[in-house]
Coordinates of all heavy atoms in Angstrom, one line a residue:
Y27 N -136.4 -63.3 -119.8 CA -136.3 -63.0 -118.4 C -135.1 -62.3 -118.1 O -135.1 -61.3 -117.3 CB -136.4 -64.4 -117.6 CG -136.1 -64.1 -116.1 CD1 -137.1 -63.7 -115.3 CD2 -134.9 -64.3 -115.6 CE1 -136.9 -63.5 -113.9 CE2 -134.6 -64.1 -114.3 CZ -135.6 -63.7 -113.4 OH -135.4 -63.4 -112.1
N28 N -133.9 -62.7 -118.7 CA -132.7 -62.0 -118.4 C -132.7 -60.5 -118.7 O -132.1 -59.7 -118.0 CB -131.5 -62.7 -119.1 CG -131.1 -64.0 -118.5 OD1 -131.5 -64.3 -117.4 ND2 -130.4 -64.8 -119.2
M29 N -133.4 -60.2 -119.9 CA -133.5 -58.8 -120.3 C -134.3 -58.0 -119.2 O -133.9 -56.9 -118.8 CB -134.2 -58.7 -121.7 CG -134.4 -57.3 -122.2 SD -133.0 -56.5 -122.9 CE -132.8 -57.4 -124.4
V30 N -135.5 -58.6 -118.9 CA -136.3 -57.9 -117.9 C -135.6 -57.8 -116.6 O -135.7 -56.8 -115.9 CB -137.7 -58.6 -117.9 CG1 -138.5 -58.1 -116.6 CG2 -138.5 -58.5 -119.1
N31 N -134.9 -58.8 -116.2 CA -134.2 -58.8 -114.9 C -133.1 -57.7 -114.9 O -132.9 -57.0 -113.9 CB -133.5 -60.2 -114.6 CG -132.9 -60.2 -113.3 OD1 -131.7 -60.1 -113.2 ND2 -133.7 -60.3 -112.3
G32 N -132.5 -57.4 -116.1 CA -131.6 -56.3 -116.2 C -132.2 -55.0 -115.9 O -131.6 -54.1 -115.3
Y33 N -133.4 -54.8 -116.5 CA -134.2 -53.6 -116.3 C -134.5 -53.5 -114.7 O -134.4 -52.4 -114.2 CB -135.5 -53.6 -117.0 CG -135.5 -53.7 -118.5 CD1 -136.5 -54.2 -119.2 CD2 -134.3 -53.3 -119.2 CE1 -136.5 -54.3 -120.6 CE2 -134.3 -53.4 -120.6 CZ -135.4 -53.9 -121.3 OH -135.4 -54.0 -122.7
V34 N -135.1 -54.6 -114.2 CA -135.5 -54.6 -112.8 C -134.4 -54.3 -111.8 O -134.5 -53.5 -110.9 CB -136.2 -55.9 -112.4 CG1 -136.4 -56.0 -110.9 CG2 -137.5 -56.1 -113.2
Q35 N -133.2 -54.8 -112.1 CA -132.0 -54.6 -111.2 C -131.2 -53.3 -111.6 O -130.2 -53.0 -111.0 CB -131.0 -55.8 -111.4 CG -131.6 -57.1 -111.0 CD -132.1 -57.1 -109.5 OE1 -131.6 -56.4 -108.6 NE2 -133.1 -57.9 -109.3
N36 N -131.8 -52.5 -112.6 CA -131.2 -51.3 -113.0 C -129.7 -51.5 -113.5 O -128.9 -50.6 -113.5 CB -131.2 -50.2 -111.9 CG -132.5 -49.5 -112.0 OD1 -132.8 -48.8 -112.9 ND2 -133.3 -49.6 -110.9
R37 N -129.5 -52.7 -114.1 CA -128.2 -52.9 -114.7 C -128.2 -52.3 -116.1 O -127.2 -51.9 -116.7 CB -127.8 -54.4 -114.9 CG -127.4 -55.0 -113.5 CD -126.9 -56.4 -113.7 NE -127.8 -57.3 -114.5 CZ -128.7 -58.1 -113.9 NH1 -128.9 -58.1 -112.7 NH2 -129.5 -58.8 -114.7
Q38 N -129.4 -52.3 -116.7 CA -129.6 -51.7 -118.0 C -131.0 -51.0 -118.0 O -131.9 -51.4 -117.3 CB -129.5 -52.6 -119.2 CG -130.5 -53.7 -119.2 CD -130.2 -54.7 -120.3 OE1 -129.6 -55.7 -120.0 NE2 -130.7 -54.5 -121.5
Q39 N -131.1 -50.0 -118.9 CA -132.4 -49.2 -118.9 C -133.1 -49.6 -120.2 O -132.5 -49.6 -121.3 CB -132.1 -47.7 -118.8 CG -131.5 -47.3 -117.5 CD -132.4 -47.7 -116.3 OE1 -133.6 -47.6 -116.3 NE2 -131.8 -48.2 -115.2
P40 N -134.4 -49.8 -120.1 CA -135.1 -50.1 -121.3 C -135.2 -48.8 -122.2 O -135.2 -47.7 -121.7 CB -136.6 -50.4 -120.8 CG -136.6 -49.9 -119.5 CD -135.2 -49.8 -118.9
R41 N -135.3 -49.0 -123.5 CA -135.6 -47.9 -124.4 C -136.9 -47.2 -124.1 O -137.7 -47.9 -123.4 CB -135.6 -48.3 -125.9 CG -134.3 -48.8 -126.4 CD -134.2 -49.1 -127.9 NE -135.5 -49.4 -128.5 CZ -135.9 -50.6 -128.7 NH1 -135.2 -51.6 -128.3 NH2 -137.1 -50.8 -129.3
L42 N -137.1 -46.0 -124.5 CA -138.3 -45.3 -124.1 C -139.6 -46.0 -124.6 O -140.6 -46.1 -123.9 CB -138.3 -43.9 -124.7 CG -139.3 -42.9 -124.1 CD1 -139.3 -42.9 -122.6 CD2 -139.1 -41.5 -124.6
E43 N -139.5 -46.6 -125.8 CA -140.7 -47.4 -126.3 C -141.0 -48.6 -125.4 O -142.2 -48.9 -125.2 CB -140.4 -47.9 -127.7 CG -140.0 -46.9 -128.8 CD -138.4 -46.7 -128.8 OE1 -137.7 -47.6 -129.1 OE2 -138.0 -45.6 -128.5
V44 N -140.0 -49.2 -124.9 CA -140.1 -50.4 -124.1 C -140.7 -49.9 -122.7 O -141.6 -50.6 -122.1 CB -138.8 -51.2 -123.9 CG1 -139.0 -52.3 -122.9 CG2 -138.4 -51.7 -125.2

Side-chain angles (χ1 to χ4, degrees):
Y27 171 82
N28 285 343
M29 176 80 73
V30 170
N31 186 257
Y33 300 156
V34 169
Q35 300 299 330
N36 273 296
R37 286 191 308 268
Q38 65 186 90
Q39 296 304 318
R41 294 190 331 269
L42 197 50
E43 307 88 63
V44 176

